[in-house]
Amino acid sequence: MATKLSEKKKVLVGMSGGIDSSAVCMLLQDQGYEVLGITLRMWDIPSHFSTPGQKEPDHVLEARSLAERLAIPHYTLDVRDEFRKTVVQSFIDEYLQARTPNPCVMCNLYFKWKYLLDEADRLECDYIATGHYARITQNMNRYILEKGLDPKKDQSYFLWRLGQKELSRTLFPLGNITKEEIKTYVLQKGFKEKVEKKESMEVCFIENDYRDFLLQQIPNLNEVIGKGFFVDKKGKKLGLHKGFPFYTIGQRKGLEIALGHPAYVIKINPYKNTIRLGDKEDLLTTEMLVESPVINIPIDQISDREIQIRIRYRSPAIRGTLFFTDDNYIVVKFKEPVSAVTPGQSAVFYSGNQVIGGGIISDQHNLKKHTQNKTQV
């Protein structure tokens, strides 16, 4: 079960109380590392407090309990205020701009890794480690992020923004292991409760639907935005909707409008507060505009390779070609049509198993003006 890692040094593990980060602690101990654990208290949700009068959420108590059983130091860092200002506010702002954010991508670089590395320095740790299913390799003195071995659990999509500073100090002990192997390993270690615990796949600070969350955070949202019109492809009004932040590109369910045929959200106009509806075929495109790109390896190393682009975490990667524009955008040309390109989501670029970069999917309305003077990557 052991993964070969070179030098045995001091590692700070980000502990969530779940099976993956717990397995990381055990694996690193088995490999001879000096392990410390830390849990970031980022956001409190009522369901995270299972006992009346409980002062700390369950995941903090579970992480601390595991650390005690493994005889490793454990620290808790309360970063709720900073998390609200950084990650949650960005999440809200994106929806108010008719974009569909991916808060995990932002959180990883600008929040989670920032605090983990700061604490690692304070505690004189050589590395940090997390329970992500991804791998880090080296090539020509550069650190390269790669997909995790288990295709069902690979989380490289969420990590594309990590740079050399972060990757050089990070260990991903689960990268070469499948989830089933982890379950067997943790069970053999005597932690049956970790294997049986239900895992959450949702955004960590949202308990139910993101629309309810927006209303909680902005109680007067309905007054500020208000209802608007569904329109067809010609601009004809079809009926009222609840307000543009409550809809995403590609949405079919929950529209609450009867047209006699399936309808999909194909465009959102925040300035007019209109939602354009169309057919499933209207969601297809062979081009995409990406903003704020990050390319992690020299361009000449990818110019003659096949590029794959993933536009959603659970979607398969699609082959395509990248073009830089003069104003730091990337135009993606897909080899086959893709559906529901959604502004605000991440587009992650792969060459084989390597993450070669990524960016944020931009408003496709601006695509045409960026297709001039582009240079093929």
Side-chain angles (χ1 to χ4, degrees):
M1 191 67 194
T3 301
K4 186 178 179 181
L5 297 171
S6 55
E7 301 174 1
K8 304 299 185 274
K9 294 184 177 180
K10 195 172 178 181
V11 187
L12 180 65
V13 177
M15 298 179 66
S16 67
I19 183 173
D20 292 332
S21 61
S22 299
V24 166
C25 294
M26 300 175 208
L27 285 167
L28 291 175
Q29 274 195 323
D30 285 351
Q31 294 161 16
Y33 285 94
E34 181 182 352
V35 177
L36 295 77
I38 188 167
T39 303
L40 303 181
R41 185 176 179 180
M42 299 185 293
W43 192 265
D44 289 348
I45 292 177
S47 63
H48 293 172
F49 294 77
S50 57
T51 305
Q54 189 172 313
K55 300 298 184 183
E56 295 177 296
D58 292 340
H59 70 276
V60 172
L61 301 180
E62 291 167 1
R64 184 178 297 141
S65 175
L66 177 78
E68 291 175 357
R69 291 177 65 180
L70 297 179
I72 64 175
H74 178 265
Y75 305 87
T76 302
L77 193 63
D78 189 338
V79 290
R80 286 175 289 178
D81 288 343
E82 295 88 344
F83 186 81
R84 173 68 175 81
K85 295 173 184 176
T86 303
V87 179
V88 174
Q89 190 59 52
S90 173
F91 178 86
I92 294 170
D93 291 343
E94 285 287 273
Y95 271 110
L96 294 181
Q97 296 177 59
R99 293 156 64 97
T100 305
N102 193 316
C104 296
V105 171
M106 180 177 191
C107 177
N108 282 332
L109 176 59
Y110 297 112
F111 199 84
K112 191 173 293 182
W113 256 257
K114 174 185 180 298
Y115 283 103
L116 289 178
L117 288 173
D118 285 349
E119 289 302 298
D121 289 340
R122 184 179 69 83
L123 297 168
E124 300 182 337
C125 293
D126 301 285
Y127 301 108
I128 65 169
T130 71
H132 287 91
Y133 287 80
R135 293 179 283 188
I136 299 172
T137 59
Q138 280 186 270
N139 183 21
M140 301 293 290
N141 297 319
R142 286 185 61 82
Y143 293 87
I144 306 296
L145 178 66
E146 295 195 355
K147 296 177 184 177
L149 179 71
D150 189 339
K152 295 180 181 179
K153 294 297 295 182
D154 167 47
Q155 293 170 306
S156 59
Y157 175 86
F158 299 109
L159 303 168
W160 62 268
R161 270 184 159 157
L162 299 183
Q164 293 298 295
K165 173 187 174 183
E166 291 78 25
L167 295 176
S168 67
R169 297 277 304 277
T170 300
L171 302 177
F172 291 135
L174 308 188
N176 289 307
I177 308 171
T178 67
K179 184 71 173 190
E180 290 307 310
E181 289 174 325
I182 285 297
K183 289 181 179 179
T184 300
Y185 172 74
V186 172
L187 194 60
Q188 291 173 345
K189 285 286 187 176
F191 293 89
K192 183 180 179 181
E193 72 280 2
K194 296 295 181 187
V195 178
E196 295 177 342
K197 181 182 177 182
K198 183 179 179 181
E199 294 184 275
S200 173
M201 302 297 290
E202 305 302 323
V203 176
C204 69
F205 55 86
I206 296 180
E207 191 157 25
N208 296 307
D209 188 273
Y210 86 88
R211 299 164 184 87
D212 296 329
F213 181 80
L214 289 179
L215 287 170
Q216 291 169 3
Q217 299 301 311
I218 314 174
N220 64 338
L221 181 60
N222 287 327
E223 289 74 34
V224 173
I225 303 295
K227 295 181 178 181
F229 284 102
F230 286 118
V231 298
D232 64 13
K233 287 176 283 187
K234 295 182 179 180
K236 178 183 176 182
K237 294 177 181 179
L238 302 173
L240 288 173
H241 63 69
K242 296 179 180 179
F244 74 83
F246 299 124
Y247 302 88
T248 61
I249 298 295
Q251 181 178 338
R252 180 175 68 87
K253 297 181 179 179
L255 300 181
E256 298 182 358
I257 184 171
L259 299 177
H261 58 84
Y264 298 80
V265 174
I266 62 172
K267 183 174 176 56
I268 302 172
N269 187 328
Y271 306 105
K272 296 182 179 180
N273 194 14
T274 56
I275 305 292
R276 185 180 299 175
L277 300 180
D279 302 322
K280 190 174 184 179
E281 292 73 22
D282 295 319
L283 291 167
L284 296 176
T285 184
T286 55
E287 290 188 318
M288 175 178 70
L289 186 65
V290 175
E291 63 188 55
S292 306
V294 174
I295 301 297
N296 298 324
I297 64 176
I299 300 303
D300 57 7
Q301 293 186 20
I302 62 174
S303 60
D304 58 349
R305 296 184 187 180
E306 180 178 273
I307 304 300
Q308 300 89 39
I309 304 98
R310 185 177 291 170
I311 63 172
R312 280 179 291 275
Y313 173 46
R314 292 298 183 186
S315 295
I318 305 295
R319 293 185 301 122
T321 308
L322 308 183
F323 297 86
F324 278 124
T325 70
D326 294 339
D327 49 0
N328 200 34
Y329 282 77
I330 286 180
V331 174
V332 178
K333 290 201 170 219
F334 295 104
K335 297 295 184 182
E336 57 189 83
V338 300
S339 180
V341 169
T342 307
Q345 290 285 286
S346 286
V348 184
F349 312 137
Y350 293 86
S351 178
N353 287 322
Q354 293 186 1
V355 175
I356 60 174
I360 303 299
I361 298 174
S362 189
D363 185 346
Q364 301 308 294
H365 181 71
N366 299 321
L367 182 61
K368 288 184 179 180
K369 73 177 183 180
H370 291 286
T371 54
Q372 298 178 348
N373 300 321
K374 60 182 183 288
T375 304
Q376 184 171 351
V377 177

